[in-house]
Amino acid sequence: MSDLGSHAAGVVVPDTQLAAEATELVREATTDLIYHHSRRVYWFGSLQARNRGLSFDPELLYIGAMFHDLGLNEQFRGSRRRFEVDSADEARRFLQSRGVPEDSIRRVWTAIALHTTPGIPEFMEPEVALVTAGVEYDVLGIGYHDISDADRAEITALHPRPDFKRRILEAFTEGIAPKPETTFGNVKADVLERFAPGYERGNFVDTILNSPWPV
């Protein structure tokens, strides 16, 4: 398939069996939207590593990027857990089944689990920081001008983003609306507040004031 190209903007997808199997699994398990987004996250995260002077394990960054939204899939909508945790657990199962060392698995798990928690990943291991950096670049446009127009165009030519803003918000809503309680205290509450009729976001202050403690 043409979209399985492995080189763009001076960044190469690791030429390993692990990366190839991850690509195949995610390609088959997710929509075109999530697949192309996940691949872009790897490229943008890699380029931001270059900008920040970070050394990282390309294979671990690639696995983190590819699996980070798998938890939005339909089979996880009854899990009662945050989709980030479902995504991270799928990556962990994938890596454990292939004998990857536990420290590497921990880094990938953490990178995925924290990718919607701003203010923390940037201070952790490079792979953790860079999955978030790639997500923030592709979804939020954070650091948009840190990457050249030419590099950005090369990546989006390989992995296009037609109507991406609307479609990714729709994917978030569909993946999370069946378990709205998992949005308490995180950015996805904004998505459901905007797009899920009847949703009422939890309030931290009210939770404290209404707790069983008498004072």
Side-chain angles (χ1 to χ4, degrees):
M1 298 173 64
S2 61
D3 64 358
L4 292 180
S6 61
H7 187 282
V11 174
V12 181
V13 171
D15 184 19
T16 66
Q17 182 175 347
L18 192 68
E21 290 177 357
T23 302
E24 182 179 3
L25 185 154
V26 176
R27 190 70 180 102
E28 293 179 356
T30 62
T31 62
D32 286 351
L33 172 75
I34 297 300
Y35 171 74
H36 289 296
H37 163 56
S38 299
R39 293 268 287 188
R40 290 194 306 270
V41 165
Y42 170 73
W43 262 280
F44 292 139
S46 297
L47 291 178
Q48 290 293 50
R50 190 179 300 169
N51 293 334
R52 299 176 187 185
L54 294 177
S55 298
F56 64 96
D57 184 320
E59 191 173 57
L60 297 185
L61 178 59
Y62 186 72
I63 300 299
M66 292 306 291
F67 277 82
H68 83 277
D69 273 347
L70 211 62
L72 293 172
N73 283 3
E74 187 173 358
Q75 67 264 37
F76 301 109
R77 293 175 189 174
S79 74
R80 318 309 292 177
R81 301 184 304 172
R82 286 180 60 162
F83 87 93
E84 302 94 330
V85 172
D86 287 327
S87 301
D89 281 353
E90 285 300 295
R92 179 162 57 194
R93 278 188 282 272
F94 172 83
L95 294 171
Q96 284 179 335
S97 71
R98 288 155 177 82
V100 173
E102 281 300 318
D103 182 67
S104 297
I105 295 173
R106 177 191 57 79
R107 278 188 281 166
V108 171
W109 193 96
T110 304
I112 296 171
L114 290 180
H115 82 266
T116 61
T117 303
I120 295 175
E122 63 193 281
F123 300 105
M124 301 184 72
E125 295 99 326
E127 297 81 10
V128 178
L130 294 172
V131 168
T132 291
V135 170
E136 289 180 340
Y137 191 94
D138 198 48
V139 177
L140 302 172
I142 293 175
Y144 186 78
H145 296 293
D146 295 345
I147 293 173
S148 72
D149 293 347
D151 284 347
R152 193 185 317 112
E154 193 172 342
I155 293 164
T156 55
L158 184 65
H159 292 292
R161 34 177 295 145
D163 197 20
F164 179 73
K165 292 180 180 180
R166 183 192 64 79
R167 294 171 67 219
I168 195 64
L169 287 168
E170 185 177 79
F172 291 153
T173 304
E174 290 175 352
I176 302 166
K179 44 184 180 180
E181 70 283 356
T182 64
T183 65
F184 179 74
N186 69 78
V187 296
K188 291 302 188 288
D190 297 339
V191 176
L192 296 193
E193 188 172 56
R194 180 73 64 89
F195 298 108
Y199 170 76
E200 293 185 11
R201 66 191 302 153
N203 183 282
F204 181 64
V205 174
D206 289 340
T207 300
I208 294 173
L209 295 177
N210 295 328
S211 82
W213 289 100
V215 293

